[in-house]
Amino acid sequence: MLKATGAVGIATAVLGADPAAHAAGSAYAHPGLLHTSADLARMRAKVKAGAAPYTAGYAKLTANRHAQAGWTPNPQATVYRGAGSPQNYTILYNDIHAAYQNALRYHVSGEAAHADTAVAILNAWSGKLTQLAGSADRFLASGLYGYQFANAAELVRGHGDFELGRFQEMLSTVFGTLADDFLVRHNGAVDSNYWTNWDLANMACVLATGIFCDDKAQVGRAVEYFKSGAGLGAVKNAIPVVYDDGLGEWLEAGRDQGHALLGVGLMGTLCEMAWNQGIDLYGYDDSRFLKGAQYVAKWSLGGEVPFTANTRRKGAVGGWSGAETVSEAAGVDPAMMRPIWAMIANHYTKRRGVSASYLTRIAAKASPEGGGGDYGPNSGGYDQLGFGTLAFTRDKVSGVEASAEPSVSASDAGSEPRPQTGTSPSASAAAGDDLAATGSNDLVGWSAAAGVTAVAGGLLLLRRRERGRREAAE
């Protein structure tokens, strides 16, 4: 098992964090995953004041069937995901989204019934779930549902009835261990066998679990993997080419639009959770993620983007091997949307004051963002927690210059925490023998969730005829 190679740099104070969290010996500020106390207070105040677009975002939340008090959980001892198993993972992700949405609704409305519902769901699962199983797709379950579970629980960790210790144990042993193992062993495959989103999902789980459980070593492994991991989720592998026009080629744009959107959303999630603990991944490597997000936003809007052919190795370590070369970006449907853009656009344009026109345009097009249950019934519609219009819309920080580090102090009322950098990847567990770069079946789910009925005929095929062409960013 790989060990963390350095300590994670943590801001000495994070605005809005519960001061008692550190006093009680916590390594991190809580709440401090996707939402801080300052974020929650902003949502509550803006909705109470009837401010747009917060009210539209909140209306999406209250209209969602998962956000209703009294949701009855259906916990399972074993959750299966993947062909050849008695798949029941839909039960899990529906319950997670119900817990998250009720918890978020509680913080905005103050209605205790929603907090109680979220706690009842989380306690039910931590009291029963013991393992994730299935094909290689079990690693999608560990990553996606692990980071989501942590975020739902973070919003109610101070509730008197919440079984915090039991939930931490379940999160670590059932989700964190599996996610950690995937980043080291990749299910017995070569590091590049699995596409970008597989790594990113498990990176998000490792980071969220580390923060939720106050495990500095685990946080360090996730941060270091983002910077220099061997798999395709590391930022320089996910965005292998940066062009002169400021766009960064997103690797999975050569695969399909749905998985590219998933990857961007997951990397944004990772960056946001790290930022809320004073770790700046958004700005790492000259804001490489900004360049990749701008690329996917422009491409998804139907714009021409450059593409450099790339080849990835596939196969098992010491077993079968092969390679796949992608030479052009896939076709897109500009109507396909995911609730990922408000978070990313607001960070760069509002916190940092950077001009990011493609992000601004696509975030406006996607607004108001919904959440799980608003983007179709398939798993692809539940891969992000969503509700970014409500949760991440923010006022521009005054005095921030383009591309500059945030200059505000965490102790200033209404400001964001100033980011610092942190450190180091790891894992272990049994690897299965199903090594195909799976997840391709989700294309049907992605298309259905976007309202696309015929993948081949319904996609607007925008093939890139001039690979070397450079368009100036708008």
Side-chain angles (χ1 to χ4, degrees):
M1 181 179 288
L2 300 179
K3 301 296 183 183
T5 57
V8 179
I10 303 299
T12 56
V14 180
L15 179 76
D18 180 1
H22 292 289
S26 294
Y28 299 103
H30 300 291
L33 291 178
L34 284 174
H35 315 301
T36 66
S37 292
D39 294 331
L40 297 167
R42 181 185 64 248
M43 296 178 224
R44 184 164 56 249
K46 293 288 189 179
V47 170
K48 184 177 180 180
Y54 300 90
T55 50
Y58 185 58
K60 293 288 289 187
L61 174 64
T62 58
N64 194 299
R65 71 182 183 89
H66 296 81
Q68 310 309 312
W71 177 282
T72 302
N74 184 18
Q76 308 289 306
T78 301
V79 167
Y80 298 89
R81 177 165 178 167
S85 64
Q87 298 193 76
N88 61 352
Y89 68 101
T90 61
I91 298 171
L92 174 60
Y93 67 65
N94 275 282
D95 276 1
I96 290 174
H97 282 258
Y100 172 77
Q101 291 180 28
N102 271 280
L104 189 62
R105 187 170 177 178
Y106 159 71
H107 280 284
V108 177
S109 71
E111 298 173 75
H114 294 291
D116 294 343
T117 296
V119 168
I121 296 168
L122 298 168
N123 284 347
W125 278 92
S126 69
K128 189 165 185 177
L129 182 63
T130 59
Q131 67 172 331
L132 301 177
S135 69
D137 283 15
R138 69 191 184 278
F139 293 108
L140 289 175
S142 64
L144 294 170
Y145 311 137
Y147 94 78
Q148 292 175 1
F149 240 156
N151 271 278
E154 182 78 345
L155 292 178
V156 294
R157 67 182 295 138
H159 192 287
D161 294 331
F162 179 51
E163 297 285 351
L164 175 61
R166 191 174 75 189
F167 194 89
Q168 288 176 320
E169 181 179 4
M170 179 206 69
L171 189 64
S172 295
T173 59
V174 177
F175 295 91
T177 299
L178 202 60
D180 217 4
D181 179 69
F182 181 80
L183 297 178
V184 170
R185 303 177 189 273
H186 286 107
N187 195 32
V190 296
D191 291 325
S192 59
N193 183 76
Y194 291 92
W195 283 102
T196 299
N197 72 85
W198 289 73
D199 264 10
L200 286 170
N202 285 286
M203 291 157 66
C205 175
V206 171
L207 179 64
T209 301
I211 294 170
F212 188 80
C213 298
D214 292 302
D215 186 335
K216 288 186 177 181
Q218 194 166 12
V219 170
R221 293 195 296 271
V223 170
E224 188 63 22
Y225 198 96
F226 175 90
K227 296 178 178 180
S228 59
L232 299 182
V235 67
K236 293 180 183 178
N237 296 331
I239 308 169
V241 182
V242 173
Y243 295 100
D244 293 339
D245 61 2
L247 298 180
E249 181 176 312
W250 190 265
L251 183 70
E252 266 187 297
R255 182 187 183 190
D256 63 64
Q257 185 185 6
H259 289 97
L261 292 173
L262 168 60
V264 170
L266 289 170
M267 188 171 285
T269 295
L270 189 80
C271 290
E272 184 69 17
M273 294 189 297
W275 176 275
N276 285 334
Q277 296 297 336
I279 305 166
D280 186 13
L281 301 184
Y282 275 121
Y284 180 73
D285 193 28
D286 194 26
S287 297
R288 196 179 189 97
F289 176 49
L290 168 62
K291 298 165 186 176
Q294 280 270 88
Y295 179 100
V296 174
K298 181 180 182 182
W299 170 64
S300 292
L301 287 166
E304 288 278 340
V305 291
F307 195 90
T308 300
N310 61 77
T311 300
R312 67 184 184 95
R313 291 181 58 228
K314 302 192 297 182
V317 175
W320 68 275
S321 63
E324 179 180 10
T325 298
V326 179
S327 59
E328 60 183 352
V332 300
D333 173 14
M336 182 180 283
M337 283 291 162
R338 284 292 172 272
I340 64 174
W341 297 112
M343 175 176 62
I344 303 167
N346 274 276
H347 172 80
Y348 287 112
T349 65
K350 300 295 180 62
R351 278 179 176 150
R352 291 204 130 116
V354 173
S355 176
S357 62
Y358 301 118
L359 287 175
T360 301
R361 286 168 54 191
I362 202 165
K365 185 177 180 179
S367 182
E369 290 180 354
D374 291 323
Y375 297 88
N378 300 294
S379 60
Y382 290 82
D383 287 341
Q384 282 85 33
L385 290 169
F387 301 105
T389 304
L390 168 66
F392 302 111
T393 300
R394 61 187 72 246
D395 297 326
K396 189 172 183 177
V397 176
S398 61
V400 175
E401 297 179 359
S403 302
E405 290 289 328
S407 58
V408 295
S409 165
S411 62
D412 295 335
S415 67
E416 297 291 338
R418 180 182 179 87
Q420 300 177 10
T421 53
T423 313
S424 250
S426 151
S428 70
D433 56 3
D434 40 358
L435 299 173
T438 55
S440 58
N441 290 339
D442 283 349
L443 182 59
V444 176
W446 281 109
S447 302
V452 180
T453 55
V455 173
L459 292 178
L460 174 61
L461 299 178
L462 298 171
R463 295 301 180 186
R464 286 43 173 162
R465 301 182 179 87
E466 302 174 77
R467 188 178 308 148
R469 178 180 175 185
R470 305 291 186 267
E471 287 188 359
E474 293 184 358

